[in-house]
């Protein structure tokens, strides 16, 4: 179980709110690894790697995490621009996961 931010500076209030909301997910899914980072002033990315996703399609995965995200204020939700929901096996092969770990610098 882990949750962290990859943002190079201290997470701002919006990212902190996202991290706090995701804490509940981590408590309910002890094998999950949750990571956030702020790509630019208007974009927060989230990655959840969880073995429980192996038995779910994309919609099922999204429904689980949406229960957490929908509790956030609208202005916080608006900053969430990417949500990756992967199994550990998928994370090893995913191009989106590679880009998450090695983001292209934002022009903003």
């Amino acid at each position: 179980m882990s949750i962290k931010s990859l943002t190079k500076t201290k997470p701002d209030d919006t990212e902190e709110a996202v991290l706090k909301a995701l804490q509940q997910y981590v408590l309910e899914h002890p094998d999950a690894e949750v990571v956030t980072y702020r790509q630019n002033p208007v974009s927060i990315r989230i990655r959840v790697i969880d073995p429980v996703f192996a038995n779910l399609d994309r919609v099922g995965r999204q429904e689980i995490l949406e229960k957490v995200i929908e509790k956030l204020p609208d202005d916080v939700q608006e900053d969430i621009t990417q949500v990756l929901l992967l199994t550990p096996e998928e994370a090893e092969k995913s191009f989106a996961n590679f880009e998450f770990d090695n983001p292209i610098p934002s022009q903003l």
Side-chain angles (χ1 to χ4, degrees):
M1 162 173 88
S2 70
I3 185 166
K4 64 181 176 180
S5 169
L6 297 179
T7 303
K8 296 193 186 321
T9 60
K10 182 180 183 288
D12 62 18
D13 291 343
T14 303
E15 188 179 2
E16 284 288 347
V18 172
L19 286 163
K20 184 176 180 182
L22 291 168
Q23 276 288 356
Q24 185 61 40
Y25 182 87
V26 172
L27 291 173
E28 295 172 7
H29 297 90
D31 294 327
E33 175 189 319
V34 178
V35 178
T36 67
Y37 81 87
R38 182 170 280 289
Q39 184 189 30
N40 61 49
V42 295
S43 175
I44 294 175
R45 294 180 171 189
I46 300 170
R47 176 182 63 197
V48 180
I49 300 174
D50 193 345
V52 76
F53 294 150
N55 299 320
L56 299 171
D57 61 13
R58 289 180 186 170
V59 173
R61 295 175 189 195
Q62 186 65 33
E63 287 174 349
I64 291 173
L65 205 66
E66 196 164 300
K67 291 175 186 175
V68 174
I69 293 173
E70 69 186 6
K71 294 177 183 176
L72 291 165
D74 289 343
D75 61 323
V76 173
Q77 289 184 43
E78 290 170 359
D79 276 13
I80 299 172
T81 59
Q82 182 182 53
V83 180
L84 293 177
L85 305 172
L86 305 167
T87 66
E89 295 78 20
E90 292 168 343
E92 294 175 12
K93 303 173 199 165
S94 168
F95 178 75
N97 188 53
F98 176 80
E99 203 282 326
F100 191 96
D101 286 332
N102 304 281
I104 298 169
S106 172
Q107 298 300 317
L108 296 179

